[in-house]
């Protein structure tokens, strides 16, 4: 019969070991990234640029 408690404890120990080794390798952190993403800024800048070009084009027509 499988002892689920032992299996769960071994799995938790394995996960903890993997997380420890990953932190030592500097590729895994649980820190939240804070700041504005460049893609968001670029989308707003491009939106304003399109609006300005459209306004100038409308004034040129009339």
């Amino acid at each position: 019969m499988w002892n689920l408690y032992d299996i769960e404890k071994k799995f938790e120990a394995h996960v903890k070991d993997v997380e420890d080794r990953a932190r030592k390798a500097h590729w895994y952190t649980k820190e939240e990234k804070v700041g504005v993403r460049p893609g968001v800024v670029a989308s707003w800048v491009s939106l304003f640029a399109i609006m300005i070009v459209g306004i100038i084009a409308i004034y040129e027509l009339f």
Side-chain angles (χ1 to χ4, degrees):
M1 184 98 179
W2 294 95
N3 189 349
L4 295 179
Y5 182 77
D6 290 338
I7 294 172
E8 181 181 5
K9 289 300 173 186
K10 286 180 184 179
F11 178 74
E12 289 175 357
H14 172 72
V15 169
K16 185 178 179 185
D17 181 49
V18 169
E19 287 178 345
D20 289 341
R21 286 188 285 139
R23 274 192 213 95
K24 289 178 184 175
H26 300 290
W27 58 263
Y28 175 79
T29 59
K30 290 187 174 181
E31 297 174 2
E32 298 263 341
K33 293 183 179 179
V34 179
V36 179
R37 290 179 287 168
V40 175
V41 174
S43 65
W44 281 102
V45 169
S46 64
L47 176 67
F48 286 128
I50 291 171
M51 289 176 57
I52 290 171
V53 169
I55 291 170
I56 291 173
I58 289 173
Y59 280 127
E60 291 293 322
L61 290 175
F62 295 110

PDB file of all heavy atoms in Angstrom, residues 3-21:
ATOM      1  N   ASN A   3       2.022   4.887   0.985  1.00  0.00           N
ATOM      2  CA  ASN A   3       1.870   5.791   2.121  1.00  0.00           C
ATOM      3  C   ASN A   3       1.917   7.212   1.574  1.00  0.00           C
ATOM      4  O   ASN A   3       2.987   7.730   1.251  1.00  0.00           O
ATOM      5  CB  ASN A   3       2.977   5.553   3.151  1.00  0.00           C
ATOM      6  CG  ASN A   3       2.718   6.329   4.424  1.00  0.00           C
ATOM      7  OD1 ASN A   3       1.848   7.189   4.481  1.00  0.00           O
ATOM      8  ND2 ASN A   3       3.483   6.025   5.448  1.00  0.00           N
ATOM      9  N   LEU A   4       0.738   7.810   1.425  1.00  0.00           N
ATOM     10  CA  LEU A   4       0.645   9.128   0.807  1.00  0.00           C
ATOM     11  C   LEU A   4       1.346  10.205   1.621  1.00  0.00           C
ATOM     12  O   LEU A   4       1.865  11.165   1.068  1.00  0.00           O
ATOM     13  CB  LEU A   4      -0.824   9.497   0.585  1.00  0.00           C
ATOM     14  CG  LEU A   4      -1.572   8.613  -0.408  1.00  0.00           C
ATOM     15  CD1 LEU A   4      -3.016   9.069  -0.519  1.00  0.00           C
ATOM     16  CD2 LEU A   4      -0.903   8.643  -1.761  1.00  0.00           C
ATOM     17  N   TYR A   5       1.384  10.055   2.922  1.00  0.00           N
ATOM     18  CA  TYR A   5       2.057  11.042   3.767  1.00  0.00           C
ATOM     19  C   TYR A   5       3.553  11.078   3.464  1.00  0.00           C
ATOM     20  O   TYR A   5       4.139  12.150   3.312  1.00  0.00           O
ATOM     21  CB  TYR A   5       1.818  10.727   5.243  1.00  0.00           C
ATOM     22  CG  TYR A   5       2.440  11.728   6.183  1.00  0.00           C
ATOM     23  CD1 TYR A   5       1.846  12.964   6.396  1.00  0.00           C
ATOM     24  CD2 TYR A   5       3.636  11.439   6.840  1.00  0.00           C
ATOM     25  CE1 TYR A   5       2.416  13.895   7.247  1.00  0.00           C
ATOM     26  CE2 TYR A   5       4.216  12.356   7.699  1.00  0.00           C
ATOM     27  CZ  TYR A   5       3.608  13.587   7.899  1.00  0.00           C
ATOM     28  OH  TYR A   5       4.172  14.504   8.730  1.00  0.00           O
ATOM     29  N   ASP A   6       4.177   9.908   3.328  1.00  0.00           N
ATOM     30  CA  ASP A   6       5.600   9.848   3.003  1.00  0.00           C
ATOM     31  C   ASP A   6       5.878  10.405   1.609  1.00  0.00           C
ATOM     32  O   ASP A   6       6.856  11.116   1.383  1.00  0.00           O
ATOM     33  CB  ASP A   6       6.120   8.416   3.102  1.00  0.00           C
ATOM     34  CG  ASP A   6       6.181   7.933   4.537  1.00  0.00           C
ATOM     35  OD1 ASP A   6       6.232   8.787   5.447  1.00  0.00           O
ATOM     36  OD2 ASP A   6       6.183   6.696   4.738  1.00  0.00           O
ATOM     37  N   ILE A   7       5.008  10.082   0.661  1.00  0.00           N
ATOM     38  CA  ILE A   7       5.171  10.579  -0.708  1.00  0.00           C
ATOM     39  C   ILE A   7       5.075  12.098  -0.725  1.00  0.00           C
ATOM     40  O   ILE A   7       5.871  12.789  -1.373  1.00  0.00           O
ATOM     41  CB  ILE A   7       4.120   9.945  -1.640  1.00  0.00           C
ATOM     42  CG1 ILE A   7       4.377   8.443  -1.772  1.00  0.00           C
ATOM     43  CG2 ILE A   7       4.133  10.615  -3.003  1.00  0.00           C
ATOM     44  CD1 ILE A   7       3.300   7.699  -2.495  1.00  0.00           C
ATOM     45  N   GLU A   8       4.103  12.651   0.003  1.00  0.00           N
ATOM     46  CA  GLU A   8       3.941  14.104   0.050  1.00  0.00           C
ATOM     47  C   GLU A   8       5.156  14.772   0.688  1.00  0.00           C
ATOM     48  O   GLU A   8       5.638  15.794   0.189  1.00  0.00           O
ATOM     49  CB  GLU A   8       2.676  14.452   0.832  1.00  0.00           C
ATOM     50  CG  GLU A   8       2.408  15.940   0.908  1.00  0.00           C
ATOM     51  CD  GLU A   8       1.168  16.287   1.711  1.00  0.00           C
ATOM     52  OE1 GLU A   8       0.550  15.376   2.296  1.00  0.00           O
ATOM     53  OE2 GLU A   8       0.831  17.476   1.752  1.00  0.00           O
ATOM     54  N   LYS A   9       5.673  14.218   1.773  1.00  0.00           N
ATOM     55  CA  LYS A   9       6.843  14.794   2.443  1.00  0.00           C
ATOM     56  C   LYS A   9       8.072  14.743   1.536  1.00  0.00           C
ATOM     57  O   LYS A   9       8.853  15.687   1.480  1.00  0.00           O
ATOM     58  CB  LYS A   9       7.127  14.068   3.765  1.00  0.00           C
ATOM     59  CG  LYS A   9       6.094  14.362   4.827  1.00  0.00           C
ATOM     60  CD  LYS A   9       6.063  15.857   5.111  1.00  0.00           C
ATOM     61  CE  LYS A   9       4.930  16.202   6.045  1.00  0.00           C
ATOM     62  NZ  LYS A   9       4.763  17.633   6.232  1.00  0.00           N
ATOM     63  N   LYS A  10       8.255  13.641   0.799  1.00  0.00           N
ATOM     64  CA  LYS A  10       9.382  13.543  -0.127  1.00  0.00           C
ATOM     65  C   LYS A  10       9.249  14.569  -1.250  1.00  0.00           C
ATOM     66  O   LYS A  10      10.231  15.175  -1.663  1.00  0.00           O
ATOM     67  CB  LYS A  10       9.463  12.128  -0.714  1.00  0.00           C
ATOM     68  CG  LYS A  10       9.966  11.110   0.257  1.00  0.00           C
ATOM     69  CD  LYS A  10      10.019   9.733  -0.372  1.00  0.00           C
ATOM     70  CE  LYS A  10      10.438   8.691   0.631  1.00  0.00           C
ATOM     71  NZ  LYS A  10      10.460   7.339   0.039  1.00  0.00           N
ATOM     72  N   PHE A  11       8.016  14.748  -1.738  1.00  0.00           N
ATOM     73  CA  PHE A  11       7.793  15.728  -2.803  1.00  0.00           C
ATOM     74  C   PHE A  11       8.071  17.144  -2.301  1.00  0.00           C
ATOM     75  O   PHE A  11       8.707  17.941  -3.000  1.00  0.00           O
ATOM     76  CB  PHE A  11       6.360  15.626  -3.330  1.00  0.00           C
ATOM     77  CG  PHE A  11       6.048  16.636  -4.398  1.00  0.00           C
ATOM     78  CD1 PHE A  11       6.564  16.485  -5.666  1.00  0.00           C
ATOM     79  CD2 PHE A  11       5.254  17.738  -4.116  1.00  0.00           C
ATOM     80  CE1 PHE A  11       6.286  17.414  -6.654  1.00  0.00           C
ATOM     81  CE2 PHE A  11       4.978  18.675  -5.089  1.00  0.00           C
ATOM     82  CZ  PHE A  11       5.495  18.508  -6.367  1.00  0.00           C
ATOM     83  N   GLU A  12       7.607  17.494  -1.102  1.00  0.00           N
ATOM     84  CA  GLU A  12       7.866  18.819  -0.543  1.00  0.00           C
ATOM     85  C   GLU A  12       9.358  19.059  -0.345  1.00  0.00           C
ATOM     86  O   GLU A  12       9.862  20.145  -0.618  1.00  0.00           O
ATOM     87  CB  GLU A  12       7.115  18.994   0.773  1.00  0.00           C
ATOM     88  CG  GLU A  12       5.615  19.133   0.607  1.00  0.00           C
ATOM     89  CD  GLU A  12       4.872  19.180   1.930  1.00  0.00           C
ATOM     90  OE1 GLU A  12       5.517  19.045   2.989  1.00  0.00           O
ATOM     91  OE2 GLU A  12       3.642  19.350   1.898  1.00  0.00           O
ATOM     92  N   ALA A  13      10.075  18.035   0.112  1.00  0.00           N
ATOM     93  CA  ALA A  13      11.521  18.159   0.279  1.00  0.00           C
ATOM     94  C   ALA A  13      12.203  18.354  -1.070  1.00  0.00           C
ATOM     95  O   ALA A  13      13.135  19.162  -1.203  1.00  0.00           O
ATOM     96  CB  ALA A  13      12.074  16.924   0.980  1.00  0.00           C
ATOM     97  N   HIS A  14      11.715  17.659  -2.088  1.00  0.00           N
ATOM     98  CA  HIS A  14      12.276  17.813  -3.438  1.00  0.00           C
ATOM     99  C   HIS A  14      12.044  19.223  -3.971  1.00  0.00           C
ATOM    100  O   HIS A  14      12.953  19.840  -4.530  1.00  0.00           O
ATOM    101  CB  HIS A  14      11.650  16.775  -4.371  1.00  0.00           C
ATOM    102  CG  HIS A  14      12.006  16.970  -5.802  1.00  0.00           C
ATOM    103  ND1 HIS A  14      13.258  16.714  -6.293  1.00  0.00           N
ATOM    104  CD2 HIS A  14      11.264  17.401  -6.852  1.00  0.00           C
ATOM    105  CE1 HIS A  14      13.283  16.990  -7.582  1.00  0.00           C
ATOM    106  NE2 HIS A  14      12.085  17.403  -7.937  1.00  0.00           N
ATOM    107  N   VAL A  15      10.833  19.746  -3.801  1.00  0.00           N
ATOM    108  CA  VAL A  15      10.512  21.097  -4.267  1.00  0.00           C
ATOM    109  C   VAL A  15      11.371  22.122  -3.539  1.00  0.00           C
ATOM    110  O   VAL A  15      11.912  23.047  -4.153  1.00  0.00           O
ATOM    111  CB  VAL A  15       9.005  21.399  -4.077  1.00  0.00           C
ATOM    112  CG1 VAL A  15       8.711  22.870  -4.295  1.00  0.00           C
ATOM    113  CG2 VAL A  15       8.182  20.547  -5.023  1.00  0.00           C
ATOM    114  N   LYS A  16      11.535  21.960  -2.238  1.00  0.00           N
ATOM    115  CA  LYS A  16      12.374  22.886  -1.474  1.00  0.00           C
ATOM    116  C   LYS A  16      13.816  22.832  -1.955  1.00  0.00           C
ATOM    117  O   LYS A  16      14.468  23.865  -2.099  1.00  0.00           O
ATOM    118  CB  LYS A  16      12.300  22.549   0.012  1.00  0.00           C
ATOM    119  CG  LYS A  16      13.045  23.525   0.876  1.00  0.00           C
ATOM    120  CD  LYS A  16      12.915  23.207   2.335  1.00  0.00           C
ATOM    121  CE  LYS A  16      13.713  24.221   3.152  1.00  0.00           C
ATOM    122  NZ  LYS A  16      13.729  23.910   4.558  1.00  0.00           N
ATOM    123  N   ASP A  17      14.317  21.643  -2.241  1.00  0.00           N
ATOM    124  CA  ASP A  17      15.680  21.494  -2.744  1.00  0.00           C
ATOM    125  C   ASP A  17      15.844  22.175  -4.105  1.00  0.00           C
ATOM    126  O   ASP A  17      16.830  22.873  -4.344  1.00  0.00           O
ATOM    127  CB  ASP A  17      16.032  20.009  -2.843  1.00  0.00           C
ATOM    128  CG  ASP A  17      17.439  19.793  -3.336  1.00  0.00           C
ATOM    129  OD1 ASP A  17      18.360  20.433  -2.792  1.00  0.00           O
ATOM    130  OD2 ASP A  17      17.619  18.980  -4.270  1.00  0.00           O
ATOM    131  N   VAL A  18      14.879  21.981  -4.980  1.00  0.00           N
ATOM    132  CA  VAL A  18      14.936  22.608  -6.305  1.00  0.00           C
ATOM    133  C   VAL A  18      14.904  24.125  -6.172  1.00  0.00           C
ATOM    134  O   VAL A  18      15.663  24.834  -6.845  1.00  0.00           O
ATOM    135  CB  VAL A  18      13.783  22.103  -7.201  1.00  0.00           C
ATOM    136  CG1 VAL A  18      13.657  22.926  -8.463  1.00  0.00           C
ATOM    137  CG2 VAL A  18      13.983  20.641  -7.540  1.00  0.00           C
ATOM    138  N   GLU A  19      14.041  24.659  -5.313  1.00  0.00           N
ATOM    139  CA  GLU A  19      13.969  26.113  -5.118  1.00  0.00           C
ATOM    140  C   GLU A  19      15.277  26.661  -4.554  1.00  0.00           C
ATOM    141  O   GLU A  19      15.742  27.715  -4.978  1.00  0.00           O
ATOM    142  CB  GLU A  19      12.804  26.469  -4.199  1.00  0.00           C
ATOM    143  CG  GLU A  19      11.453  26.322  -4.838  1.00  0.00           C
ATOM    144  CD  GLU A  19      10.316  26.632  -3.881  1.00  0.00           C
ATOM    145  OE1 GLU A  19      10.556  26.680  -2.653  1.00  0.00           O
ATOM    146  OE2 GLU A  19       9.193  26.817  -4.364  1.00  0.00           O
ATOM    147  N   ASP A  20      15.886  25.948  -3.610  1.00  0.00           N
ATOM    148  CA  ASP A  20      17.156  26.396  -3.038  1.00  0.00           C
ATOM    149  C   ASP A  20      18.255  26.424  -4.093  1.00  0.00           C
ATOM    150  O   ASP A  20      19.019  27.390  -4.187  1.00  0.00           O
ATOM    151  CB  ASP A  20      17.571  25.496  -1.876  1.00  0.00           C
ATOM    152  CG  ASP A  20      16.693  25.676  -0.647  1.00  0.00           C
ATOM    153  OD1 ASP A  20      16.010  26.730  -0.559  1.00  0.00           O
ATOM    154  OD2 ASP A  20      16.679  24.764   0.210  1.00  0.00           O
ATOM    155  N   ARG A  21      18.331  25.362  -4.894  1.00  0.00           N
ATOM    156  CA  ARG A  21      19.358  25.332  -5.946  1.00  0.00           C
ATOM    157  C   ARG A  21      19.104  26.412  -6.993  1.00  0.00           C
ATOM    158  O   ARG A  21      20.039  27.011  -7.511  1.00  0.00           O
ATOM    159  CB  ARG A  21      19.399  23.954  -6.604  1.00  0.00           C
ATOM    160  CG  ARG A  21      20.041  22.911  -5.719  1.00  0.00           C
ATOM    161  CD  ARG A  21      20.246  21.614  -6.449  1.00  0.00           C
ATOM    162  NE  ARG A  21      18.970  20.916  -6.586  1.00  0.00           N
ATOM    163  CZ  ARG A  21      18.571  20.275  -7.677  1.00  0.00           C
ATOM    164  NH1 ARG A  21      19.337  20.223  -8.725  1.00  0.00           N
ATOM    165  NH2 ARG A  21      17.400  19.686  -7.706  1.00  0.00           N
TER     166      ARG A  21
END
